[in-house]
């Protein structure tokens, strides 16, 4: 069997930390990077006698996510206890949702969502010792600040077919959730955590192969690298006549390798049972309406609109729709550049402007000195041939550096296009005479040689000439 | 001084309110009485007097089962694993009593984590029955029952998961009320079986039980399963039982009840009729499976609730030889008693993958059917009545080697716990123990529909007056 015959089957499990004021089941503030164990109370430390009380804000946030993922919300979902011993789990059970989750059957970006449910985050442990694992470590330190942070776990169907697709989809999910304003979705800080279930199967087969679970990939790049490496390993294994074992693999960012977790840490019987301390979660009609009504235009819908209504290329539509601020900037420019094709604006924003900002190591467009008004004015001037495209780029560089009005910059720097064709004809004639070799070659049929004469004209006019017009005049002069 | 200790809580509260008795004097009298504890009923006693709070219970000392967290005061749940544990907060029920003006007189001994029917499972030694010190007071709220019956406290609170208030109340000859599940907040009550645990009063009479319940009941944002009793509870005043229908479960454990207990039970039924009440029979088809279901559900929840005692954050720690996993094992092996370990094992098994449906799932079905049986009974009757316990107080050590015989003590109390409905045990007379000896208290249990506390207390009050008279 050759490699390309084995199809990749990838599903993602995403944990999103909600950015509520307080924890899932107590009144402690959420935090990141604070002194250890300052955001704790008897409830999140699991002192004797305490009970959980559900954070209503977390439910509202989860309902927003469910609405954005087009999920069906269960009229009545329940919490379960997932029992296991670990120092980061002070109750020795995690309150999570099991067979009746908050939301099911959604979709995003063409990928089906299996379910989305609410649960609580674990505390943070640091195991001292060589392995960095609990077994065999000399001592373990626990910081309970994170313990009890509200999480929404989102599980996709195994619909993704490559590492790149998995990475792209995870980015779309992040942008979508970020726009809802319900999470910081920062992978490095762990407010967005993506695990991948990876398997391969003969192309065209409906059955699923044995999967492995990839954890600890704390960037999109690591996600793609981890999945890529695991797909290669599984394909190699199967081609060599081996079998994939179901296991959990930890991605090591240091060497990019995947390491199996020790089986003892894996052998769990979680003894799930309904959490008797909580009543069923039954969102009201009003809460559901509120969640749906609060949804902004999300990247996927925006992308469809850019492609369908504005006629952008698929690539530009995806690029501009992904970031809500960049999208807003793009639309503001479109609005002010009346009569200019949206695609032309897109070219400027994703092309010239992005390049100029990159070169100046500047901000994102919305935060830069280039206002939507000035970019629109600039694009219009180029479109109306008041300045050449090259001069336009020059004006843009000035705008990036110091802001201002494009018209004033053109004026100040003398960039207005030479409108008098007599003046331009004179410059062209001089340039042809000054470059006899090039002129001969052009006459002999070497079209490329025209570049040297165009360059001379541009140099003479300081870029104020229209390139198309210059070309035409040169050819006219040489009779080709 | 002795006169003060004869007063019921209602009488004392009235005298304090009228300025006839000073609250300091009253509280001191009870501190002195509690200091004379020879029953091993207290694990901690207040060193200072009255809290000074105002309200309907102003100046009333309350003995509190050691399962309730009390800020700064050691709270052990009768377990070695929580020896010396000082909670950072106070349980809602205790806080509400304090808001009504009551003060904590002491913390009472109990079966470890409320698991037991004799108080012999306490890590701090058994409580003795004040009527016969060679006998058990019942459990698990044995300390709370013994202090009230033994004149060491005017009133107490306890918890009832499968009979832990009603059975010791019966064996000690006092009133014990298990309210409807959800009537009183469980916040700060150390969990045994969360879907069954409920807090309630142990008192000298029905009026005092109503008084304490009213102070404690009510919804609590810290306990999502609490809702309180709509309209609250008033002091009972009913004098007869006319128009009320009392149901006796047909054939329920006819053979398992001691002859003396049965006699008192029958006599009480006659009193009900004499007061104008109607007595009939109803089938409770599934009640006989109550014990089986209970001893799956309660241990299952307990196995999870007690998993937090791992030596990491509070309580006892036994380091063990190696890593943190060995520390867990060593701590839990040394910190828990035999009965607690037995139930953790039972519960863990019942929840295990592959056994869940056969045990936990099946037990929940039985629970639903028992609740349905009660609902059907309450369509035709106002109350269901049974003996509280099949026997009077038994001897210390008599059943410690036979867990099943011990579990059968809860035969009559467990069905109401599974159904979540309120039930009260009132002293109905005395009976000679099997094997002879001085006559000992017998309890009579009355159960009502969910949140029917007022009607339950009213009926119990009328019956109590007839029995006392």
């Amino acid at each position: 069997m050759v490699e390309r015959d084995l199809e990749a089957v990838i599903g993602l499990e995403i944990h999103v930390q909600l950015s509520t004021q307080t924890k899932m089941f107590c009144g402690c503030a959420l935090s990141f990077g604070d002194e250890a164990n300052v955001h704790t109370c008897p409830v999140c430390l699991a002192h004797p006698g305490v009970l959980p009380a559900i954070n209503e804000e977390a439910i509202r946030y989860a309902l927003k996510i469910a609405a954005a993922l087009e999920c069906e919300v269960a009229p009545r979902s329940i919490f379960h206890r997932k029992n296991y011993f670990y120092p980061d789990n002070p109750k020795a059970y995690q309150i999570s949702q099991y067979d009746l989750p908050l939301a099911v059957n959604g979709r995003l970006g063409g990928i089906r969502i299996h379910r989305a449910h609410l649960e609580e985050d674990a505390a943070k442990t640091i195991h001292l010792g060589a392995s960095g694992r609990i077994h065999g470590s000399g001592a373990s330190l626990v910081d309970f600040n994170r313990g009890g942070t509200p999480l929404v776990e989102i599980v996709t169907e195994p619909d993704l077919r490559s590492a790149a697709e998995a990475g792209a989809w995870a980015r779309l999910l992040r942008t979508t959730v970020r726009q809802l304003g319900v999470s910081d979705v920062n992978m490095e800080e762990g407010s967005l955590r993506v695990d991948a279930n990876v398997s391969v199967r003969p192309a065209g087969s409906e059955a699923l192969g044995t999967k492995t679970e990839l954890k600890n990939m704390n960037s999109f790049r690591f996600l793609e690298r981890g999945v890529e490496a695991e797909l290669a390993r599984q394909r190699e294994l199967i081609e060599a006549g081996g079998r994939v074992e179901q296991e959990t693999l930890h991605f090591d960012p240091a060497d990019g390798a995947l390491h199996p977790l020790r089986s003892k840490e894996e052998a769990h019987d979680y003894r799930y049972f309904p959490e008797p301390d909580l009543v069923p979660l039954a969102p009201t009609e009003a809460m559901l309406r509120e969640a749906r009504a609060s949804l902004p235009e999300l990247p996927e819908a925006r992308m469809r609109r850019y492609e369908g209504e504005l006629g952008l290329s698929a690539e530009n539509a995806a690029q501009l729709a992904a970031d809500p601020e960049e999208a807003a900037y793009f639309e503001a420019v479109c609005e002010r550049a009346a009569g200019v094709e949206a695609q032309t604006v897109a070219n400027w924003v994703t092309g010239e402007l992005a390049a100029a900002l990159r070169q100046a190591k500047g901000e994102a467009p919305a935060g830069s000195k280039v206002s939507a008004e000035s970019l629109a004015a600039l694009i219009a001037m180029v479109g109306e041939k008041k300045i050449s495209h090259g001069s336009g780029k020059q004006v843009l560089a000035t705008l990036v550096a110091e802001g201002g009005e494009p018209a004033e910059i053109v004026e100040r720097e003398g960039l207005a296009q030479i409108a008098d064709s007599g003046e331009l004809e004179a410059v062209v004639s001089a340039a042809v005479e000054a470059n006899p070799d090039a002129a001969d070659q052009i006459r002999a049929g070497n079209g490329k040689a025209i570049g040297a004469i165009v360059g001379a004209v541009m140099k003479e006019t300081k870029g104020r000439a229209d390139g198309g017009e210059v070309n035409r005049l040169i050819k006219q002069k040489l009779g080709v | 001084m002795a006169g003060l200790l004869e007063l019921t809580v209602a009488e004392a509260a009235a005298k304090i309110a009228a300025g006839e008795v000073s609250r300091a004097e009253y509280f001191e009298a009870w501190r002195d009485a509690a200091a004379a504890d020879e029953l091993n009923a207290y694990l901690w006693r207040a060193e200072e007097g009255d809290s000074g709070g105002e309200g309907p219970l102003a100046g009333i000392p309350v003995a509190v089962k050691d399962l309730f967290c009390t800020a700064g005061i050691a709270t052990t749940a009768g377990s070695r694993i929580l020896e010396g544990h000082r909670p950072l907060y106070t349980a809602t029920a205790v806080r509400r009593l304090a808001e009504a003006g009551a003060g904590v007189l002491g913390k009472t001994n109990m079966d470890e984590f409320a698991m037991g029917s004799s108080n012999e499972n306490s890590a701090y030694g058994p409580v003795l029955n004040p009527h016969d010190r060679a006998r058990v007071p019942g459990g698990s709220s044995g300390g709370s029952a013994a202090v009230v019956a033994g004149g060491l406290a005017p009133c107490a609170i306890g918890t009832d998961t499968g009979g832990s208030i009603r059975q010791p109340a019966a064996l000690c000859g006092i009133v014990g009320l298990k309210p409807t599940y959800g009537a009183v907040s469980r916040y700060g009550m150390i969990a045994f079986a969360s879907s069954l645990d409920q807090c309630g009063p142990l008192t000298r009479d029905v009026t005092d039980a109503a008084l304490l319940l009213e102070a404690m009941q009510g919804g609590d944002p810290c306990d999502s399963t609490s809702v309180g009793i709509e309209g609250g509870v008033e002091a009972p005043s009913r004098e007869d039982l006319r128009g009320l229908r009392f149901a006796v479960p047909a054939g329920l454990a006819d053979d398992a009840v001691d002859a003396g207990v049965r006699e008192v039970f029958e006599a009480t039924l006659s009193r009900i009729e004499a007061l104008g009440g109607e007595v009939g029979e109803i089938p409770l088809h599934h009640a006989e499976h109550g014990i089986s279901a209970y001893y799956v559900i309660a241990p299952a929840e307990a196995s999870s609730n007690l998993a937090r005692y791992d030596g990491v954050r509070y309580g006892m720690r036994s380091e063990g030889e190696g890593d943190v996993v060995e520390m867990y094992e060593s701590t839990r092996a040394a910190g828990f008693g035999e009965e607690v370990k037995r139930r953790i094992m039972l519960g863990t098994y019942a929840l295990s993958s592959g056994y869940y449906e056969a045990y936990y799932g099946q037990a929940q079905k039985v629970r639903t059917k028992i609740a349905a049986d009660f609902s059907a009974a309450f369509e035709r009757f106002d109350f269901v009545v049974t003996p509280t316990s099949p026997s009077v107080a038994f001897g210390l050590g008599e059943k410690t080697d036979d867990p099943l015989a011990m579990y059968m003590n809860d035969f009559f109390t467990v069905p109401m716990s599974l159904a979540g409905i309120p039930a009260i045990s009132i002293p109905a007379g005395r009976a000679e123990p099997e094997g002879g000896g001085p006559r000992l208290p017998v309890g009579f249990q009355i159960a009502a529909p969910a949140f029917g506390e007022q009607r339950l207390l009213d009926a119990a009050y009328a019956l109590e007056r007839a029995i006392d008279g």
Side-chain angles (χ1 to χ4, degrees):
Chain A
M1 196 180 280
V2 293
E3 192 172 303
R4 66 173 173 279
D5 290 333
L6 285 174
E7 176 185 51
V9 178
I10 304 156
L12 299 180
E13 285 181 26
I14 299 99
H15 287 88
V16 176
Q17 265 185 356
L18 301 182
S19 51
T20 47
Q21 294 293 307
T22 55
K23 293 186 180 181
M24 186 67 214
F25 297 116
C26 67
C28 288
L30 299 194
S31 63
F32 180 80
D34 282 1
E35 186 190 338
N37 294 315
V38 296
H39 300 291
T40 58
C41 73
V43 174
C44 59
L45 290 176
H47 276 227
V50 297
L51 297 172
I54 298 176
N55 179 344
E56 198 179 310
E57 195 182 18
I59 298 173
R60 292 184 194 282
Y61 281 18
L63 289 175
K64 278 192 184 187
I65 292 178
L69 300 181
E70 298 171 32
C71 287
E72 298 160 21
V73 172
R76 189 175 164 282
S77 67
I78 63 171
F79 286 95
H80 269 67
R81 290 187 184 180
K82 179 181 181 179
N83 296 282
Y84 64 97
F85 284 96
Y86 207 75
D88 67 7
N89 178 26
K91 297 188 295 297
Y93 55 83
Q94 179 197 31
I95 302 177
S96 181
Q97 295 196 296
Y98 183 53
D99 55 6
L100 282 174
L102 180 77
V104 294
N105 295 338
R107 59 192 310 120
L108 175 74
I111 301 302
R112 291 173 300 156
I113 306 293
H114 177 61
R115 60 184 281 162
H117 74 244
L118 268 167
E119 59 183 32
E120 56 176 337
D121 208 348
K124 249 184 178 155
T125 42
I126 302 154
H127 303 300
L128 306 180
S131 73
R133 303 271 179 82
I134 186 167
H135 292 279
S137 76
S140 298
L141 304 174
V142 193
D143 175 4
F144 290 98
N145 283 352
R146 192 183 72 179
T149 298
L151 290 179
V152 168
E153 180 177 330
I154 300 162
V155 182
T156 75
E157 296 291 351
D159 288 353
L160 297 154
R161 291 292 170 269
S162 72
E165 195 189 353
W169 189 84
R171 286 182 179 90
L172 172 65
L173 177 73
R174 179 182 63 170
T175 320
T176 303
V177 173
R178 173 184 284 157
Q179 216 188 323
L180 298 175
V182 299
S183 171
D184 297 336
V185 282
N186 182 325
M187 282 184 95
E188 275 173 32
E189 292 183 358
S191 51
L192 176 71
R193 303 198 283 270
V194 185
D195 298 337
N197 291 316
V198 175
S199 64
V200 295
R201 67 180 174 197
S205 161
E206 286 294 311
L208 293 170
T210 305
K211 69 176 181 188
T212 54
E213 196 180 346
L214 276 55
K215 288 182 177 289
N216 199 40
M217 297 164 297
N218 61 3
S219 75
F220 293 113
R221 202 164 51 86
F222 288 160
L223 167 68
E224 286 163 359
R225 275 173 59 188
V227 171
E228 200 61 70
E230 176 57 11
L231 285 170
R233 188 189 71 89
Q234 290 189 10
R235 285 176 167 137
E236 205 172 301
L237 194 65
I238 290 172
E239 279 151 19
R243 291 166 64 98
V244 174
E245 296 289 329
Q246 182 156 355
E247 61 184 333
T248 300
L249 301 166
H250 243 234
F251 182 78
D252 184 349
D255 58 6
L258 295 156
H259 302 286
L261 285 174
R262 279 177 53 148
S263 60
K264 194 174 171 188
E265 291 177 30
E266 267 297 277
H268 285 311
D269 176 355
Y270 290 119
R271 291 174 283 119
Y272 280 100
F273 73 103
E275 164 59 293
D277 288 332
L278 293 173
V279 295
L281 187 56
T284 60
E285 242 337 289
M287 287 173 87
L288 296 175
R289 262 200 314 275
E290 187 197 318
R292 283 191 297 263
S294 74
L295 289 189
E297 184 187 36
L298 294 169
E300 205 187 346
R302 193 155 53 229
M303 195 166 76
R304 280 197 301 268
R305 180 163 63 87
Y306 286 180
E307 248 192 286
E309 290 178 22
L310 302 184
L312 297 198
S313 71
E315 193 194 345
N316 280 162
Q319 207 176 344
L320 287 168
D323 182 75
E325 286 187 3
E326 187 156 352
Y329 181 85
F330 161 71
E331 293 188 35
V333 178
C334 285
E335 220 170 88
R336 288 164 177 81
V340 178
E341 296 261 322
Q343 181 62 57
T344 306
V345 175
N347 290 343
W348 276 91
V349 173
T350 61
E352 282 81 357
L353 178 60
L357 289 169
R358 242 192 335 270
Q359 190 155 17
K361 296 186 170 50
E363 311 283 320
S368 75
K369 290 181 178 159
V370 189
S371 68
E373 286 83 356
S374 51
L375 183 61
L378 178 61
I379 294 171
M381 287 170 84
V382 174
E384 291 157 10
K385 297 191 188 298
K386 288 183 182 156
I387 58 172
S388 70
H389 193 262
S391 299
K393 288 209 277 191
Q394 220 174 308
V395 173
L396 193 54
T398 309
L399 284 173
V400 165
E402 41 196 81
E405 284 296 316
E408 282 172 26
I409 297 167
V410 166
E411 177 78 38
R412 190 172 74 219
E413 300 185 5
L415 295 173
Q417 193 149 302
I418 298 167
D420 181 346
S421 63
E423 183 189 345
L424 191 55
E425 271 181 53
V427 178
V428 168
S429 295
V432 168
E433 277 155 31
N435 292 281
D437 293 352
D440 289 346
Q441 285 177 39
I442 295 163
R443 285 195 197 91
N446 180 1
K448 282 181 184 170
I450 201 169
I453 300 174
V454 171
V457 173
M458 287 302 178
K459 194 176 172 193
E460 182 60 30
T461 61
K462 299 194 178 72
R464 293 180 301 121
D466 175 46
E469 182 66 6
V470 172
N471 266 284
R472 192 184 65 79
L473 288 171
I474 293 168
K475 286 177 184 165
Q476 189 183 36
K477 177 93 186 155
L478 296 176
V480 295
Chain B
M1 290 296 269
L4 282 183
L5 306 186
E6 308 299 319
L7 302 172
T8 66
V9 170
E11 289 163 351
K15 282 188 185 298
I16 290 169
E20 293 169 35
V21 174
S22 97
R23 32 195 306 173
E25 184 190 2
Y26 184 67
F27 208 97
E28 276 309 302
W30 279 111
R31 282 214 319 116
D32 291 345
D37 174 21
E38 292 176 356
L39 304 173
N40 194 32
Y42 279 111
L43 295 176
W44 175 88
R45 276 164 288 193
E47 284 170 12
E48 301 195 347
D50 164 34
S51 67
E54 294 298 327
L57 294 175
I60 302 298
V62 181
V64 172
K65 188 180 186 178
D66 209 28
L67 201 63
F68 292 92
C69 288
T70 41
I73 297 171
T75 300
T76 68
S79 181
R80 191 64 67 200
I81 211 159
L82 281 176
E83 190 165 7
H85 171 64
R86 287 168 192 275
L88 296 169
Y89 71 105
T90 296
T92 301
V94 178
R95 184 173 53 74
R96 291 216 167 128
L97 286 171
E99 283 165 5
V104 177
L105 177 62
K107 300 294 292 289
T108 59
N109 201 349
M110 55 180 286
D111 282 302
E112 185 177 5
F113 287 105
M115 297 179 192
S117 307
S118 71
N119 227 297
E120 292 165 293
N121 295 334
S122 169
Y124 306 97
V127 176
L128 313 181
N129 189 313
H131 299 279
D132 178 349
R133 295 186 184 183
R135 291 177 183 270
V136 304
S140 67
S141 307
S144 288
V147 293
V148 174
L152 306 173
C155 61
I157 61 169
T159 65
D160 190 315
T161 305
S164 280
I165 287 174
R166 292 162 284 161
Q167 185 257 12
L171 269 49
C172 288
I174 60 166
V175 170
L177 170 66
K178 181 201 92 75
T180 308
Y181 185 81
V184 183
S185 168
R186 292 182 294 116
Y187 188 73
M189 216 173 93
I190 296 178
F192 158 22
S194 312
S195 72
L196 296 158
D197 295 343
Q198 185 59 201
C199 152
L202 295 99
T203 52
R204 289 185 182 176
D205 67 13
V206 174
T207 303
D208 285 0
L211 207 54
L212 260 64
L213 176 62
E214 174 56 14
M216 292 190 291
Q217 67 90 16
D220 175 8
C222 292
D223 175 3
S224 316
T225 65
S226 72
V227 289
I229 300 165
E230 209 183 325
V233 173
E234 292 171 8
S237 58
R238 193 176 175 116
E239 308 214 334
D240 61 55
L241 299 173
R242 267 193 285 270
L244 296 177
R245 297 155 300 169
F246 293 75
V248 178
L252 188 61
D254 279 344
D255 314 330
V257 181
D258 287 0
V261 171
R262 177 159 299 284
E263 220 169 89
V264 172
F265 182 67
E266 299 291 346
T268 310
L269 295 180
S270 301
R271 285 184 198 278
I272 289 174
E273 287 172 329
L275 286 168
E278 192 186 308
V279 176
E281 273 202 347
I282 41 107
L284 280 182
H285 298 293
H286 302 90
E288 60 175 318
H289 301 299
I291 287 285
S292 310
Y294 175 84
Y295 277 95
V296 170
I297 294 168
E301 293 180 7
S303 72
S304 175
N305 284 330
L306 270 61
R308 69 185 57 193
Y309 305 107
D310 56 12
V312 173
R313 285 145 293 126
Y314 46 76
M316 201 197 85
R317 174 186 289 184
S318 171
E319 292 287 353
E321 300 288 307
D323 61 16
V324 64
V325 175
E326 282 176 48
M327 184 188 87
Y328 288 166
E329 291 168 357
S330 171
T331 298
R332 292 167 65 79
F336 288 137
E338 283 307 308
E339 183 62 27
V340 169
K341 286 178 190 167
R342 176 167 24 246
R343 296 200 196 182
I344 290 174
M345 293 300 291
L346 280 172
T348 303
Y349 183 81
L351 290 176
S352 297
S353 162
Y355 297 96
Y356 179 91
E357 267 313 313
Y359 291 98
Y360 193 77
Q362 189 69 11
Q364 290 292 9
K365 285 178 196 153
V366 172
R367 182 177 190 171
T368 305
K369 287 193 178 295
I370 287 174
D373 284 350
F374 275 110
S375 295
F378 290 132
E379 280 174 18
R380 292 170 47 208
F381 292 91
D382 298 292
F383 305 103
V384 172
V385 294
T386 72
T388 307
S389 176
S391 71
V392 294
F394 45 92
L396 285 160
E398 200 179 307
K399 296 183 179 177
T400 43
D401 293 333
D402 187 350
L404 281 181
M406 190 71 92
Y407 295 171
M408 288 310 287
N409 267 287
D410 303 331
F411 189 86
F412 291 115
T413 49
V414 151
M416 293 76 178
S417 294
L418 290 170
I421 59 175
I424 193 168
S425 177
I426 61 170
R430 286 181 176 245
E432 201 175 290
E434 301 275 285
R439 289 153 64 81
L440 292 164
V442 172
F444 183 81
Q445 179 178 229
I446 315 172
F451 300 106
E453 271 82 352
Q454 188 65 59
R455 286 198 293 146
L456 179 64
L457 288 160
D458 283 340
Y461 175 77
L463 190 55
E464 174 186 63
R465 284 166 58 97
I467 292 166
D468 287 349

